[in-house]
Amino acid sequence: MRAQGTGPGVPGRTRRHHRSAASRRPRRDGIAAGPLDLLVNNASSLGPSPLPPLLDFPLDELERLYRTNIVAPLAVLQFALPLLGDAGVVVNISSDAGREPYPTWGGYGSSKAALDQLTAVLGAEHPEIAIYAFDPGDMRTAMHQAAFPGEDISDRPEPETVVPALLRLIARRPPNARYAAGDFADLDAVR
């Protein structure tokens, strides 16, 4: 969240208008908060690089990984849930490593498997809100490069290539579940 008064100006609106509107918003823990339509939990950690086998995984690093990839998304949702109306959408970014047992991906993969389960349970507990786990697939990111140190990953797609699939998921609002970008690769996939 941005502190009040630090965002870009809106034509035709004054700072006084924004302050007045902010003062009428519901408050959560002393922070003015308005209705929320979309929450995307994308922040994630890979863990140590190169990725160690599970039996060699430093437990303090595993704990930090779980706090980042599982506990933090739940904490954000606990804060935001009262702000989500019936039209609210929650997307937790997942990974195929949460479903497939890749050697040395046990720390990251188990955290994403737990996030998928957390997402499924939240979807069952709150059917009035669209709650999804979304696997964007392999992408050309700094995190993916850290998983493959010294390797050329330029054959992976850029992250922006997945945005249309994510937007289709949000627009279509299918049943609460886990989806992959490939499920929404074209318009025929959402009909």
Side-chain angles (χ1 to χ4, degrees), residues 27-154:
R27 297 189 80 72
R28 176 80 196 243
D29 296 332
I31 299 171
L36 189 61
D37 296 324
L38 175 64
L39 170 63
V40 178
N41 279 312
N42 183 43
S44 191
S45 175
L46 182 64
S49 176
L51 299 173
L54 264 180
L55 291 180
D56 297 330
F57 209 108
L59 295 181
D60 60 329
E61 290 288 331
L62 187 63
E63 184 179 345
R64 185 178 357 237
L65 185 68
Y66 282 10
R67 279 196 320 263
T68 301
N69 295 358
I70 306 163
V71 177
L74 178 59
V76 170
L77 186 54
Q78 286 176 340
F79 177 86
L81 187 63
L83 304 175
L84 287 165
D86 289 349
V89 178
V90 176
V91 179
N92 289 324
I93 301 300
S94 187
S95 169
D96 63 328
R99 291 196 148 191
E100 299 296 327
Y102 302 127
T104 72
W105 285 76
Y108 178 79
S110 63
S111 75
K112 289 302 185 173
L115 182 63
D116 286 352
Q117 179 64 10
L118 181 141
T119 303
V121 170
L122 287 167
E125 291 176 349
H126 295 279
E128 73 280 6
I129 298 172
I131 301 179
Y132 308 116
F134 180 76
D135 174 7
D138 289 352
M139 294 185 293
R140 194 179 329 156
T141 63
M143 188 167 84
H144 203 80
Q145 184 65 69
F148 300 98
E151 292 185 32
D152 179 11
I153 64 164
S154 63

Side-chain angles (χ1 to χ4, degrees), residues 163-180:
V163 172
L166 180 58
L167 293 175
R168 288 182 192 118
L169 167 68
I170 294 165
R172 177 72 173 137
R173 295 181 65 109
N176 289 348
R178 182 189 193 282
Y179 296 96

